[in-house]
Amino acid sequence: MFQVRYARGRLLLTILAIMTLLIAALGAVMAWQAWQLAARQEPVSPRPGVTVDAEAAARRLGVALSLPTIWSPDGAHDAAFLALHRHLQASFPAAHAAMTRQVVGRHALLYTWAGSDPKAMPVALLAHQDVVPVAPGTEDRWTHPPFSGAVVDGFVWGRGAWDNKSSVMGLMEAVEVLARSGFKPRQTLYLALGADEEVGGKEGAVAMAALLRQQGVKLRFVLDEGLVITHGMVPGVSKPVALIGMAEKGFMTLKLTAVAQPGHSSMPPPRSAIGVLGEAVARVEAQPMPARLQGLPRQMFEAVAPEMDTVMRGLMSNIWLTEPLLLRQLEKIPSTNAMVRTTGVATVFQAGERENVMVGQASALINFRLLPGDRSEAVIDHVRRVVAGLDVRVERQPWVNEASPVSSAQTSAYRLLSRSLRELQPDVVVAPGLLVGATDSRHYADLTESIFRFAPMHAAQADLAMFHGTNERISVRNYAQMIQFYERLMRESHATSP
């Protein structure tokens, strides 16, 4: 008996020793992976940006923000768009002398700065003139009126300061500086300034892309609004992180409908249409599409991992092992959860008219944002499996956009973008990212293999509420930096080739 116990004890000690060695070896491998992780940032030599009269530029932006360029089918705000066009022409005479200007549709503007080398691939820089309305009843919550364009306390205030007139005006400021200096681009530069981006871009971006397509234009790259320079938003990284949107998620809405026998509420059946529909919606939200740390989210974390603190560096440099743990953490935060899966949420519910009448039909709209790699048909199949067993009809709504193609970060165009930013702001870490919203750039997808969705604006987590929200504003300093970035990008694209 003693010998049996002794043998068992020896076996247990042996197992513990082996497990200890395995854990130590695993720890050593993880530590080695973290230690030898090479920096992903291309070395740059800092160079100061072009001199910008920031206060004068801020005043010009303020005038643009004072104009309520809200797209409306009935033309209710046409005067504001026309006033903005006059403001552009008056403010940037050298730019208008250097470029040709074409009005597309009602208010979109397509500028062409002809290049000297017909063999050089053109570049298109996008922005949009239209802004979203201010939510009724919230006007008094603004520190300065939403269409004041006030320049106060180092900020320019007004709807469109972030989305997206700062880019419209910043691009024109950069061209003005270049044109006044005698600069002439080698490749043709297009400035495509949409006027209906917030409602889909049909009269603006769609039409301008069609014009370029008809002319047989192929673009080296497209730069549009999108992600920004984040502060404190990437775990474990103390430096600012500029996320370059290399793709955008798709868009699809499904309508779920439950049908039942209508009647008096005093004699209900075991399940009402509303009850069945409510269960269906709850199932869809509780059983989302699977999360995965692949593609752009993984590229982003791998790009910033060398800049992280010790703990996060260890986790991110060993995604092959830590992926399940990382996904559990990312799923807890709405902004990061949206990066790693196709999301779906109920946005409209329609059922019932009177409190004592059971409805014959109840319906709900569930809006999905599709991760690259997830096709709309796969999402529909998933939802049908989730609601199987319930008497619910699943129908796709007409407007569907599949997720965009993913641009490569291994191109000269991406390196140009990164270098142009980091020469001006060398402390910024640049990484590829995924845009969860939609931009005008999706309409140019067949004209180029490289679409970058990025605005050189600095933002902390609290600033994100300004997008379509209250107290939208941009600092005068940040706006001057935007102008410097656009000027550097245009100048450097002249000097480089694909």
Side-chain angles (χ1 to χ4, degrees), residues 433-477:
L434 172 65
L435 184 65
V436 298
T439 69
D440 272 344
S441 68
R442 68 186 184 277
H443 303 301
Y444 295 77
D446 64 331
L447 300 180
T448 181
E449 294 182 353
S450 295
I451 296 181
F452 307 124
R453 302 156 184 89
F454 170 71
M457 310 172 74
H458 289 261
Q461 184 69 44
D463 295 322
L464 299 184
M466 290 192 293
F467 281 106
H468 293 190
T470 298
N471 277 337
E472 189 176 352
R473 65 194 182 277
I474 184 172
S475 74
V476 173
R477 179 173 181 269

Side-chain angles (χ1 to χ4, degrees), residues 409-454:
Q410 308 302 316
T411 63
S412 63
Y414 179 83
R415 291 191 292 273
L416 165 67
L417 190 72
S418 174
R419 186 175 66 252
S420 296
L421 179 62
R422 296 188 64 246
E423 283 180 349
L424 296 166
Q425 303 178 50
D427 62 329
V428 171
V429 177
V430 178
L434 172 65
L435 184 65
V436 298
T439 69
D440 272 344
S441 68
R442 68 186 184 277
H443 303 301
Y444 295 77
D446 64 331
L447 300 180
T448 181
E449 294 182 353
S450 295
I451 296 181
F452 307 124
R453 302 156 184 89
F454 170 71

Side-chain angles (χ1 to χ4, degrees), residues 262-345:
H264 200 283
S265 63
S266 62
M267 295 178 290
R271 299 295 302 275
S272 67
I274 292 176
V276 171
L277 180 65
E279 181 179 341
V281 171
R283 285 189 191 182
V284 173
E285 292 190 346
Q287 301 177 55
M289 293 284 287
R292 57 184 187 273
L293 195 53
Q294 301 296 327
L296 282 174
R298 185 163 186 152
Q299 289 181 40
M300 183 199 78
F301 286 123
E302 289 175 343
V304 300
E307 313 296 331
M308 289 179 165
D309 59 33
T310 304
V311 175
M312 289 301 298
R313 183 184 174 105
L315 291 173
M316 292 302 176
S317 59
N318 292 277
I319 293 178
W320 58 276
L321 177 66
T322 61
E323 181 174 352
L325 173 62
L326 291 171
L327 281 175
R328 282 197 296 273
Q329 297 304 311
L330 295 171
E331 288 174 312
K332 294 178 181 179
I333 305 171
S335 59
T336 52
N337 179 59
M339 290 171 50
V340 297
R341 64 155 38 95
T342 290
T343 59
V345 63

Side-chain angles (χ1 to χ4, degrees), residues 49-62:
V50 68
T51 300
V52 174
D53 186 338
E55 292 299 326
R59 288 193 295 271
R60 288 188 286 269
L61 175 60

Side-chain angles (χ1 to χ4, degrees), residues 103-444:
V103 180
V104 179
R106 273 162 53 198
H107 302 304
L109 298 175
L110 179 60
Y111 287 94
T112 304
W113 197 353
S116 59
D117 182 357
K119 294 182 180 180
M121 291 186 72
V123 169
L125 307 176
L126 278 53
H128 63 89
Q129 308 162 57
D130 58 313
V131 300
V132 296
V134 176
T138 67
E139 294 86 351
D140 60 351
R141 301 178 193 172
W142 288 67
T143 303
H144 300 280
F147 291 105
S148 66
V151 184
V152 182
D153 299 330
F155 289 87
V156 191
W157 298 73
R159 173 63 83 227
W162 274 43
D163 187 14
N164 177 247
K165 283 183 180 172
S166 53
S167 289
V168 171
M169 297 296 289
L171 287 169
M172 294 299 295
E173 292 277 0
V175 173
E176 182 74 7
V177 169
L178 289 168
R180 285 183 179 276
S181 72
F183 173 84
K184 296 185 187 303
R186 184 170 62 85
Q187 76 297 307
T188 295
L189 286 174
Y190 295 103
L191 267 58
L193 310 180
D196 60 342
E197 188 274 344
E198 299 291 359
V199 294
K202 183 177 180 180
E203 287 199 28
V206 171
M208 288 188 288
L211 281 176
L212 297 180
R213 195 174 297 115
Q214 290 166 11
Q215 297 168 18
V217 171
K218 288 294 183 181
L219 300 165
R220 182 185 178 194
F221 68 86
V222 165
L223 175 66
D224 197 5
E225 64 175 330
L227 300 176
V228 297
I229 304 171
T230 64
H231 289 256
M233 294 167 63
V234 179
V237 182
S238 59
K239 295 179 179 179
V241 179
L243 296 175
I244 313 298
M246 311 296 283
E248 56 188 57
K249 296 181 79 173
F251 179 102
M252 178 180 69
T253 297
L254 296 182
K255 183 178 183 180
L256 274 55
T257 304
V259 178
Q261 184 66 36
H264 200 283
S265 63
S266 62
M267 295 178 290
R271 299 295 302 275
S272 67
I274 292 176
V276 171
L277 180 65
E279 181 179 341
V281 171
R283 285 189 191 182
V284 173
E285 292 190 346
Q287 301 177 55
M289 293 284 287
R292 57 184 187 273
L293 195 53
Q294 301 296 327
L296 282 174
R298 185 163 186 152
Q299 289 181 40
M300 183 199 78
F301 286 123
E302 289 175 343
V304 300
E307 313 296 331
M308 289 179 165
D309 59 33
T310 304
V311 175
M312 289 301 298
R313 183 184 174 105
L315 291 173
M316 292 302 176
S317 59
N318 292 277
I319 293 178
W320 58 276
L321 177 66
T322 61
E323 181 174 352
L325 173 62
L326 291 171
L327 281 175
R328 282 197 296 273
Q329 297 304 311
L330 295 171
E331 288 174 312
K332 294 178 181 179
I333 305 171
S335 59
T336 52
N337 179 59
M339 290 171 50
V340 297
R341 64 155 38 95
T342 290
T343 59
V345 63
T347 53
V348 177
F349 210 99
Q350 295 175 324
E353 294 180 2
R354 298 186 61 179
E355 60 190 270
N356 63 342
V357 177
M358 293 183 299
V359 300
Q361 179 172 299
S363 64
L365 298 182
I366 302 183
N367 181 245
F368 290 88
R369 299 304 174 105
L370 281 61
L371 196 68
D374 286 346
R375 302 288 297 179
S376 58
E377 290 301 328
V379 178
I380 295 171
D381 290 343
H382 170 81
V383 171
R384 285 177 174 155
R385 286 194 299 270
V386 167
V387 302
L390 297 175
D391 190 10
V392 171
R393 185 170 67 249
V394 179
E395 301 170 290
R396 184 172 66 178
Q397 298 300 95
W399 185 26
V400 177
N401 281 322
E402 302 290 351
S404 75
V406 179
S407 298
S408 172
Q410 308 302 316
T411 63
S412 63
Y414 179 83
R415 291 191 292 273
L416 165 67
L417 190 72
S418 174
R419 186 175 66 252
S420 296
L421 179 62
R422 296 188 64 246
E423 283 180 349
L424 296 166
Q425 303 178 50
D427 62 329
V428 171
V429 177
V430 178
L434 172 65
L435 184 65
V436 298
T439 69
D440 272 344
S441 68
R442 68 186 184 277
H443 303 301
Y444 295 77

